[in-house]
Each structure stands twice: as C-alpha cells, then as structure tokens.
Amino acid sequence: VAEDGRGVVKVPVTYTVDGKTFETTVDIEVNVVESKTKPIVVFEGDEITPASVKEKVVPATNGTANEPKASDIFKTDGKAGKSGLTIPTTVTHNVDGTEVTEDVKVPVTVLPRTEGEVDVPKGATPDKVKDTLKAKAEELIKTPDFPAKVPEGYTVTVGEIPELPADIANKKGEPVVVKVPVTFTSPDGTTYTS
C-alpha cells in the first residue's frame, strides 16, 4: 500500500469447478481512509470539555467520533504558547459488522491572556480613561513575553473599549475592572476575541 493509503493487494483464491480445483490471484484495490481533526482554540484558563473535543473530529466514512477520557483533558493554565498540544480520542467504525477503533489526536491551541493596571487622574473624562486603557492594552500585547505566547501566523489587535460610566474617574480608591477586547486572527482568517 502506498503512502497515500491506496494500493492493490493480491489475494490468492482457490475454487472448485466440476471437481477440479483452481487457484488464481485476484487484485483487490485498497483505499485506507483516515479521520480528520480540526484544532480546538481556547484562551488560557478556559476549560476544554469532552464534547468540544468530539465536535472537532471528522470521521472517515461511516465512523462515529467518541468523547475523550476526562483524564486526557488538560487544564489550559500556563499552556499559552506551547506547541504540540493534543488530546487523544477515538473514532469507532463498523466494518462489515466488526467494530474497529481508530485513534486520533485533536490539536489544541491555547491563546494568551494578559492584564494590567492604569491610574487615571480624578475627574478625567470617560473618553480620556478609554484612551489610557487602549494605550495600556496596546503596550501589554507588545511586552516581550506576550508575543512569545502568540501562535505563529496569528495577529493580535486591541478592540474598542466598552462604554464607561460617566463618573468612572471620580471613584477615589475604588478599583474598577474594565475588560478590553483583544482579538486574535488565525492564518486562515478565523477570529477569537477575549
């Protein structure tokens, strides 16, 4: 069988006609098919579920994708930027009444998250606070350790800051958490926003 899974196998056949036994060889074409997988893309700290792994498996022919063992699913904390991450699972095929199990590995890409703090002067307008937040987010995605965790070929952009309360800069000593959207664009154009 060739590298692409195709080939011809010669099968010896013995048959009897009018009491005479004959032997011959029959060529049987073989096409070995393999299930495909699509990568799971998550953010650091997100949970990977068995169902999310199963949905990334595209069974060959009439196969059925199975959920992985819970013990094979890892926590994503500290995994951003790591290459070669996979979760093993199986595909069950029914071949002429016989159950055949195919092992597959689903690739996992873990995208980084970052956080930071800014100080704003009391009385600053919401627009000034937004500008400060956006500048800080832009700075954070350019710090040396963040780009090192971004998968090759991905681009990262800071999104628009959400609307802020008018009195945001009047809350002395009260920290306010603002989630700044950061979008990762994969080489195929798929976007992921955290």
Side-chain angles (χ1 to χ4, degrees), residues 1-2 4-11 25-32:
V1 179
D4 69 354
R6 296 180 178 274
V8 174
V9 176
K10 297 194 176 288
V11 178
T25 302
V26 176
D27 290 346
I28 304 290
E29 188 169 326
V30 176
N31 181 19
V32 178

Side-chain angles (χ1 to χ4, degrees), residues 41-44 46 80-81 109-114 137 140-142 145-159 180-194:
V41 180
V42 294
F43 285 93
E44 195 167 21
D46 287 352
T109 299
V110 181
L111 301 174
R113 282 195 166 119
T114 189
L140 288 169
I141 66 170
K142 292 178 180 143
D145 61 331
F146 190 84
K149 294 178 182 178
V150 175
E152 189 174 329
Y154 278 66
T155 58
V156 184
T157 53
V158 175
V180 178
V182 175
T183 300
F184 293 76
T185 304
S186 71
D188 70 5
T190 307
T191 59
Y192 306 92
T193 302
S194 172

Side-chain angles (χ1 to χ4, degrees), residues 144-176:
D145 61 331
F146 190 84
K149 294 178 182 178
V150 175
E152 189 174 329
Y154 278 66
T155 58
V156 184
T157 53
V158 175
E160 290 304 310
I161 309 298
E163 282 304 310
L164 302 173
D167 64 346
I168 190 155
N170 293 327
K171 302 180 179 205
K172 182 170 174 48
E174 295 176 42
V176 177

Side-chain angles (χ1 to χ4, degrees), residues 8-193:
V8 174
V9 176
K10 297 194 176 288
V11 178
V13 176
T14 303
Y15 60 97
T16 305
V17 176
D18 296 331
K20 280 186 143 186
T21 302
F22 298 92
E23 290 184 10
T24 189
T25 302
V26 176
D27 290 346
I28 304 290
E29 188 169 326
V30 176
N31 181 19
V32 178
V33 292
E34 178 178 37
S35 296
K36 304 288 183 216
T37 58
K38 298 175 186 169
I40 294 173
V41 180
V42 294
F43 285 93
E44 195 167 21
D46 287 352
E47 180 183 347
I48 299 173
T49 64
S52 68
V53 176
K54 178 181 175 179
E55 73 183 24
K56 295 298 184 176
V57 178
V58 181
T61 62
N62 63 346
T64 303
N66 301 306
E67 289 188 355
K69 296 179 199 160
S71 60
D72 287 333
I73 297 177
F74 53 84
K75 297 213 177 291
T76 60
D77 298 319
K79 302 281 192 217
K82 306 269 189 234
S83 61
L85 298 174
T86 60
I87 297 175
T89 190
T90 59
V91 176
T92 304
H93 301 275
N94 184 326
V95 180
D96 298 326
T98 302
E99 201 171 88
V100 177
T101 302
E102 173 190 13
D103 293 326
V104 295
K105 290 185 178 193
V106 177
V108 179
T109 299
V110 181
L111 301 174
R113 282 195 166 119
T114 189
E115 57 184 42
E117 292 182 14
V118 295
D119 291 324
V120 293
K122 184 171 176 143
T125 65
D127 285 343
K128 181 62 180 157
V129 175
K130 280 180 160 184
D131 291 345
T132 304
L133 290 170
K134 185 144 185 152
K136 182 63 173 184
E138 294 281 359
E139 175 189 321
L140 288 169
I141 66 170
K142 292 178 180 143
T143 59
D145 61 331
F146 190 84
K149 294 178 182 178
V150 175
E152 189 174 329
Y154 278 66
T155 58
V156 184
T157 53
V158 175
E160 290 304 310
I161 309 298
E163 282 304 310
L164 302 173
D167 64 346
I168 190 155
N170 293 327
K171 302 180 179 205
K172 182 170 174 48
E174 295 176 42
V176 177
V177 175
V178 178
K179 294 193 180 281
V180 178
V182 175
T183 300
F184 293 76
T185 304
S186 71
D188 70 5
T190 307
T191 59
Y192 306 92
T193 302

